[in-house]
Structure formats: C-alpha cells, structure tokens
Amino acid sequence: MEYLGLLETRRVLNRLMAELAAVRASQDQRGDLRDCVLAMTDAAGRDELKDYLRQDQRCYEIVQEAAGNPSLVQAMEPLHTHSRRFWCLYRHAWDLEEAARGQLAVMKAIIRGDAEGAAAASDAQMDYLDRFARQAMDLE
C-alpha cells in the first residue's frame, strides 16, 4: 500500500516534468528524444527489456535536462527508481508493450512541444502504473 502513495506523489511530479520539458526542450533535445523514441519502439517491438530500459533511461535523462529544474529532478529521482524496480520485479511479457505505449505518448508530446498533451499522457501513464501495481499486489 505504501507504493500506491509513492505513485500519488510521482503522478504530480511526473506531470510537471513532462509539461516543463515540452515547453523548455531545445531543438537538439527534441531531436535526441526522437532518436530515443525510435530506439524504444524498436526494443519494445522485439520485447528486449534490457535495451528498452536503457533507452527509457536515456529518454528520462533528456527530459530531466529539458525540464530545467534541478529541484524537481532531485525529488523525482528516488520515485522513478523505485517505480522502475517495482515494475521490473512484477512485469509479465505483455506489460512491456503497454508500458511502452504510455511512455512513448509522453515523449511524443514533449517532442511536439505540447505541454497539455504531455500532461495528459503523463496522467495516462501513471494510471497504467497504478493499475499495474494494484494487479501485482492483488488489490483488484
């Protein structure tokens, strides 16, 4: 149950980070995210978890830099790390594709500079993580 509280906190911070990155990302950062999205899509399509996670981390680092808020990054880091570990521990083969869809939607909105779309995609991604956690912990 404590993990669900972590997700509540992460939801707010994740949304803010996505919005800020969408507004503040440079053209170079948007290009780097495009490359990362292509690599993530490929890895998810091949169900290559290690490659997917490597690309996911790379995208996350670009988004952190683009958001331009070190305090936000510092607050978000342990939440993101814990969420990633939880997901990897309880994931099943079908989870990678669904997880990738949510993450890619956030990245694509940031690339477009669509703060509202990035916020909505972030909320949808957090909804997925909440459902996933509840199923993993047999709360549904």
Side-chain angles (χ1 to χ4, degrees):
M1 291 298 237
E2 185 179 325
Y3 182 68
L4 296 177
L6 178 145
L7 288 178
E8 286 176 341
T9 304
R10 182 177 172 201
R11 174 183 294 273
V12 175
L13 298 178
N14 205 71
R15 179 185 178 98
L16 177 59
M17 187 174 290
E19 289 173 319
L20 291 176
V23 171
R24 297 177 177 173
S26 69
Q27 288 305 323
D28 285 346
Q29 289 166 330
R30 292 179 203 282
D32 290 345
L33 276 178
R34 272 187 211 93
D35 294 344
C36 192
V37 162
L38 290 173
M40 281 177 70
T41 301
D42 178 61
R46 292 181 288 113
D47 198 33
E48 283 290 329
L49 181 62
K50 285 184 182 179
D51 193 23
Y52 173 82
L53 290 174
R54 189 173 26 261
Q55 295 305 322
D56 178 62
Q57 183 63 33
R58 182 172 160 241
C59 280
Y60 183 64
E61 290 166 0
I62 296 165
V63 170
Q64 287 177 322
E65 183 181 311
N69 184 326
S71 296
L72 175 59
V73 170
Q74 186 176 10
M76 190 63 182
E77 193 64 33
L79 303 175
H80 183 260
T81 300
H82 193 71
S83 292
R84 177 183 270 225
R85 285 182 184 148
F86 183 93
W87 185 84
C88 286
L89 182 63
Y90 291 103
R91 103 168 194 53
H92 306 288
W94 56 269
D95 293 325
L96 183 56
E97 186 177 335
E98 186 173 355
R101 265 195 309 273
Q103 182 70 341
L104 291 169
V106 175
M107 296 302 120
K108 289 176 182 178
I110 291 170
I111 291 166
R112 292 191 310 271
D114 178 4
E116 206 170 287
S122 175
D123 287 346
Q125 180 186 30
M126 298 312 301
D127 289 344
Y128 158 74
L129 290 175
D130 185 81
R131 282 190 317 275
F132 177 84
R134 290 174 188 278
Q135 287 174 350
M137 295 185 287
D138 282 331
L139 297 177
E140 287 193 348

